[in-house]
Amino acid sequence: MPPSCCGYLSQYTHHHLVAFLLTFFSYVLLHASRKTFSNVKVSISAQWTPSIQNDSLSPGETWGENHLFEDEKQATLFLGALDSIFLFSYAVGLYLSGVIGDRVNLRYVLCFGLCGSAAVEFVFGTLTEWLHIYNIYLYCGLWVLNGLLQSAVWPCVVAVMGNWFGKTGRGFVFGLWSACASVGNILGAFLASSVLKYGYEYAFLVTSVVQFAGGVVVFFGLLTSPKEVGLSLESETGLSPVETDTDSHRPLMSDEEEEVEVEVEVYGRQHQSIQQPDEPLDEAPQAIGFCQAFCLPGVLPYSLAYACLKLVNYSFFFWLPFYLSNNYGWQEAQADRLSVWYDVGGIIGGTVQGLISDFLGKRAPVLATSLVLAMAALVGYSRSPNDQLINAVLLAITGFFIGGPSNMISSAISADLGRQEALRGSKEALATVTGIVDGTGSIGAAGGQYLVSLLESKLGWMCVFYFFVVMTGGSIVFITPLLVKEVRAMWRDRRAMRRQL
């Protein structure tokens, strides 16, 4: 039986708290600036498609100076293309930044990603509007660069958290911590809606300045490992410097003997170089290779499942305010504020489901149950009436069952995968594994964003929600083998306990 959460949390020091908060708010600020683009899509579309009915132009501006597209549908398709461009470059960057994060100081990589991304977003949303520069190729190039820079952040913050927090209670700690993305969405929505009346460029200005300041704070304040303050990994996380979680693969794979045999066969050569007990404990372990990380047990099925799930989750992230404003006719600021209920549900879902997975000692059963309920929640939300209260409740429920599993795969399960027994002696793999999982998820999300805009323009929003249901079912299919193994392991454990009684 796992220890109680209160008993487990009592072992942490103020160093843990600082690492938790700095990594948490680093990603909060990143997601707040990322959310800004989805919150101002209506205003950007209006600015790029001037018409007689469009009063967004000042008296001194002419129709031709702002003309990028003939109508709103063309602008919507381009906004969807920008989302896909961002996510594709973000995915490529994740594969690279994960490998870099395991070889370069995590603090440097994290600060570079935060500050660089803030500068690009300032140019994209604020400077181009101030200088009246409207160019499709410039927008695309800036958004590619933004995706590459932002990709440096997530693998680094997960790796830092993995350095400070061991496996015991990881589902709860990482479930609580993974709310950073949802908190960032909420913060970004409120910041954007509060200054949107002055122009969408000021929404980009506020979030980019705050993000840049956060990057500076991280550079001077973050400790990436207990070793930086003279603390042993064993005392801080329960791991010696050459050890990994000996059972961290159990929530992901069954404990059958043939799995261990496969691990030994694939990684036997790496294990030959493991340090002996009489060697110095502070010798730095070697980072694992990209292909080796991809072949780790559980990495591929969870990556593919996350590709389907992140497509749905990020479609809500990018398109929810736009959907609420266009489908129900609500004002853009109202739609921005209402969309935060999806993130509220995701925060609660990630924490509660992580806690349950700690209690069970398994991740896949909790994940599969939530995804089945998510399919029903999507059907229910697609039929929401034109009532803000009912819509908010249905949004929170949908966020609970979609955002919760998404947070769990991207944080706790990624940490489990990056600390499993096959990595013994090659501990520097957490950033690489996290980059693979999140990068594969981002590829799925990237392809989905253009499909969402295409389906909406051709068939309507109802078909978009049916598409979400199908993709959620795809996530269940990919984790089914792991689910079966974990359920079998649970039954074996119960039979063993009964025999002892």
Side-chain angles (χ1 to χ4, degrees):
M1 181 69 66
S4 65
C5 293
C6 293
Y8 176 70
L9 294 176
S10 64
Q11 67 178 294
Y12 292 139
T13 66
H14 71 280
H15 294 296
H16 290 89
L17 180 62
V18 172
F20 184 99
L21 292 177
L22 283 179
T23 53
F24 183 90
F25 284 105
S26 295
Y27 209 68
V28 165
L29 298 179
L30 187 80
H31 244 261
S33 63
R34 190 184 299 176
K35 181 68 173 175
T36 300
F37 180 65
S38 64
N39 286 334
V40 300
K41 278 184 174 178
V42 174
S43 296
I44 292 178
S45 178
Q47 187 74 354
W48 289 350
T49 57
S51 63
I52 299 176
Q53 291 78 22
N54 181 13
D55 57 358
S56 65
L57 298 178
S58 61
E61 293 176 315
T62 64
W63 184 84
E65 291 174 349
N66 299 71
H67 181 218
L68 280 178
F69 304 101
E70 296 290 343
D71 52 45
E72 183 179 339
K73 285 189 175 182
Q74 291 184 12
T76 301
L77 288 174
F78 181 67
L79 291 172
L82 281 179
D83 290 337
S84 295
I85 287 171
F86 170 83
L87 286 172
F88 272 122
S89 60
Y90 182 71
V92 173
L94 281 169
Y95 290 130
L96 299 175
S97 60
V99 176
I100 294 173
D102 281 330
R103 290 161 173 80
V104 182
N105 190 300
L106 292 169
R107 183 163 53 92
Y108 298 157
V109 181
L110 179 57
C111 179
F112 178 76
L114 286 171
C115 295
S117 171
V120 171
E121 288 167 351
F122 170 77
V123 174
F124 177 91
T126 304
L127 192 61
T128 55
E129 180 62 24
W130 283 351
L131 300 179
H132 301 292
I133 300 174
Y134 306 99
N135 186 282
I136 292 176
Y137 301 105
L138 176 62
Y139 288 137
C140 291
L142 288 172
W143 232 222
V144 168
L145 181 60
N146 189 35
L148 293 173
L149 289 169
Q150 288 202 13
S151 68
V153 177
W154 183 251
C156 292
V157 293
V158 173
V160 171
M161 284 290 293
N163 289 339
W164 282 98
F165 296 90
K167 177 182 178 293
T168 305
R170 181 180 286 156
F172 173 74
V173 173
F174 274 73
L176 184 64
W177 175 84
S178 64
C180 56
S182 297
V183 173
N185 294 343
I186 295 172
L187 177 63
F190 277 103
L191 287 178
S193 62
S194 62
V195 299
L196 193 56
K197 59 185 176 181
Y198 303 109
Y200 73 83
E201 64 270 24
Y202 290 97
F204 282 101
L205 174 64
V206 171
T207 54
S208 61
V209 169
V210 173
Q211 180 182 324
F212 190 92
V216 175
V217 173
V218 165
F219 181 81
F220 290 103
L222 180 64
L223 298 173
T224 62
S225 171
K227 292 186 294 184
E228 294 188 14
V229 289
L231 299 174
S232 67
L233 290 178
E234 187 171 5
S235 64
E236 291 296 293
T237 66
L239 303 175
S240 68
V242 295
E243 286 182 330
T244 56
D245 300 340
T246 57
D247 63 344
S248 65
H249 69 294
R250 290 178 185 172
L252 309 171
M253 308 294 292
S254 73
D255 51 358
E256 297 174 355
E257 294 181 357
E258 60 265 26
E259 294 174 15
V260 179
E261 294 174 359
V262 172
E263 294 172 4
V264 173
E265 179 181 353
V266 176
Y267 297 99
R269 294 184 179 179
Q270 286 75 15
H271 292 172
Q272 293 175 0
S273 62
I274 297 177
Q275 300 175 3
Q276 298 300 320
D278 57 348
E279 293 183 359
L281 290 178
D282 57 352
E283 183 177 342
Q286 296 296 319
I288 195 172
F290 180 84
C291 294
Q292 295 170 328
F294 220 120
C295 295
L296 286 170
V299 171
L300 183 59
Y302 273 117
S303 297
L304 295 175
Y306 192 48
C308 298
L309 185 58
K310 192 169 185 177
L311 185 155
V312 180
N313 193 42
Y314 263 56
S315 294
F316 274 88
F317 172 80
F318 282 119
W319 290 101
L320 184 56
F322 186 86
Y323 165 74
L324 294 173
S325 179
N326 281 266
N327 194 59
Y328 296 104
W330 297 333
Q331 295 182 359
E332 191 173 15
Q334 291 178 325
D336 290 344
R337 294 189 179 97
L338 189 64
S339 66
V340 304
W341 288 104
Y342 178 83
D343 297 296
V344 171
I347 293 173
I348 300 173
T351 305
V352 172
Q353 293 170 35
L355 184 60
I356 295 173
S357 69
D358 279 342
F359 180 79
L360 295 176
K362 309 293 179 184
R363 311 283 191 214
V366 179
L367 201 64
T369 302
S370 180
L371 291 175
V372 170
L373 295 174
M375 297 172 70
L378 285 168
V379 174
Y381 182 70
S382 67
R383 290 165 171 77
S384 174
N386 193 346
D387 183 277
Q388 293 191 14
L389 178 60
I390 297 176
N391 197 287
V393 172
L394 293 175
L395 261 182
I397 295 173
T398 305
F400 183 94
F401 292 118
I402 293 179
S406 179
N407 291 343
M408 193 158 62
I409 293 178
S410 63
S411 58
I413 290 177
S414 293
D416 287 339
L417 293 168
R419 286 282 190 257
Q420 55 184 292
E421 190 175 1
L423 290 167
R424 185 178 293 276
S426 180
K427 187 181 172 186
E428 300 300 330
L430 185 50
T432 302
V433 170
T434 303
I436 289 173
V437 174
D438 202 21
T440 306
S442 297
I443 290 177
Q449 299 319 299
Y450 188 75
L451 287 176
V452 167
S453 61
L454 190 62
L455 287 173
E456 187 277 329
S457 62
K458 301 294 184 181
L459 302 174
W461 284 108
M462 189 60 66
C463 290
V464 173
F465 281 102
Y466 289 142
F467 174 61
F468 291 163
V469 171
V470 172
M471 298 309 298
T472 305
S475 297
I476 300 174
V477 171
F478 285 121
I479 66 170
T480 296
L482 303 178
L483 173 65
V484 171
K485 291 181 180 180
E486 290 189 10
V487 171
R488 287 177 177 175
M490 291 173 64
W491 280 111
R492 285 197 303 271
D493 293 342
R494 289 188 178 183
R495 287 198 299 267
M497 292 177 63
R498 290 175 181 174
R499 292 171 184 171
Q500 293 177 358
L501 296 176

